[in-house]
Amino acid sequence: MEPVQKEETGPIGEIGEAPDGLVLGQMIRDARKAKGLTLEEAARAAAIGRSTLSKIENNQTKPSFDIIRRLMQTLDLKTPQLFVQSGKSDISGRRDYTLTGKGEHQETATYDHELLCTELSSKRMLPYISTIKARDVSVFESWVRHRGEEFMYVISGSLTLYTEHYRPLMMTAGDSVYYDSGMGHGCVSTSAEDARVLWVSLEE
């Protein structure tokens, strides 16, 4: 996905084994500092308590989906991967659903993502439908890469999947692919209409 994800520059770094909460907290802390905001300023802008933000950054609490969404908007984070929380949960028999066209939209320069089943904040899989707006690989400033693995199914249109270690893969409606999302990747539409895909990301 680009899910699909934070677009990093330079060669891929070593993907750590830190728990999801630590990764989320670090992302938020780094984004806050990059914008030059104090804990109090960022918390006020996101309409949450300063102590709550501090606990999120230090992996001392699991934030709700709504709080993560407000932090994303405040800190200009456009990474759906942030919504994949720790898969460890004592809750069993969980269920979530999304009505047609009612997903949570997150748009980047290259993709328009519709996040599905967003009420569950503690899950390892992140399903979403994406419209591939990119038309040339040159529009990507760097490879897209993030932790885990992902599955992509082409719903309509055609596209080319570019990956760091393989030849470009041309895909049409009905084709699917599964790959390591830590490997640099990016998709561009090649049909007259923007291609639409179903992505399912799994955080390791």
Side-chain angles (χ1 to χ4, degrees):
M1 95 192 171
E2 188 237 29
V4 98
Q5 4 349 99
K6 185 175 181 180
E7 299 183 4
E8 301 176 353
T9 58
I12 182 171
E14 182 177 355
I15 299 176
E17 297 299 325
D20 295 346
L22 288 176
V23 174
L24 174 65
Q26 187 64 50
M27 285 181 176
I28 291 174
R29 182 185 297 110
D30 290 346
R32 174 177 63 79
K33 290 183 176 180
K35 291 181 71 69
L37 297 175
T38 64
L39 272 170
E40 186 171 350
E41 290 170 339
R44 186 186 309 116
I48 63 176
R50 180 188 182 282
S51 62
T52 298
L53 178 55
S54 178
K55 288 179 181 178
I56 292 172
E57 290 190 358
N58 290 286
N59 191 28
Q60 295 174 349
T61 187
K62 287 186 177 180
S64 67
F65 176 83
D66 183 59
I67 288 178
I68 297 177
R69 178 173 53 188
R70 278 183 269 159
L71 285 170
M72 277 186 60
Q73 294 172 344
T74 298
L75 302 174
D76 294 328
L77 290 171
K78 301 180 183 299
T79 307
Q81 196 65 20
L82 285 177
F83 290 88
V84 181
Q85 299 301 296
S86 173
K88 297 179 181 179
S89 174
D90 296 328
I91 300 174
S92 62
R94 299 180 300 163
R95 190 199 75 170
D96 196 359
Y97 70 96
T98 301
L99 298 176
T100 301
K102 300 297 183 180
E104 189 76 26
H105 278 273
Q106 295 294 330
E107 190 168 1
T108 72
T110 50
Y111 304 105
D112 183 2
H113 304 298
E114 181 186 4
L115 306 180
L116 307 174
C117 301
T118 56
E119 291 303 310
L120 289 175
S121 62
S122 179
K123 60 179 183 287
R124 293 187 64 198
M125 290 192 299
L126 175 66
Y128 53 101
I129 293 173
S130 295
T131 299
I132 312 299
K133 299 189 299 181
R135 288 286 170 167
D136 189 280
V137 71
S138 64
V139 302
F140 291 91
E141 295 181 359
S142 60
W143 286 116
V144 174
R145 64 174 91 250
H146 50 94
R147 295 179 55 182
E149 300 175 337
E150 62 192 27
F151 168 82
M152 182 179 73
Y153 175 87
V154 183
I155 298 172
S156 63
S158 60
L159 60 85
T160 298
L161 171 65
Y162 292 89
T163 51
E164 196 169 15
H165 307 306
Y166 297 87
R167 296 176 182 175
L169 176 63
M170 292 173 285
M171 304 177 68
T172 58
D175 293 343
S176 59
V177 61
Y178 190 100
Y179 55 92
D180 176 358
S181 44
M183 172 178 64
H185 57 280
C187 287
V188 300
S189 287
T190 55
S191 49
E193 73 279 11
D194 290 343
R196 296 181 72 243
V197 304
L198 168 66
W199 252 311
V200 180
S201 288
L202 176 65
E203 172 101 345
E204 293 181 335

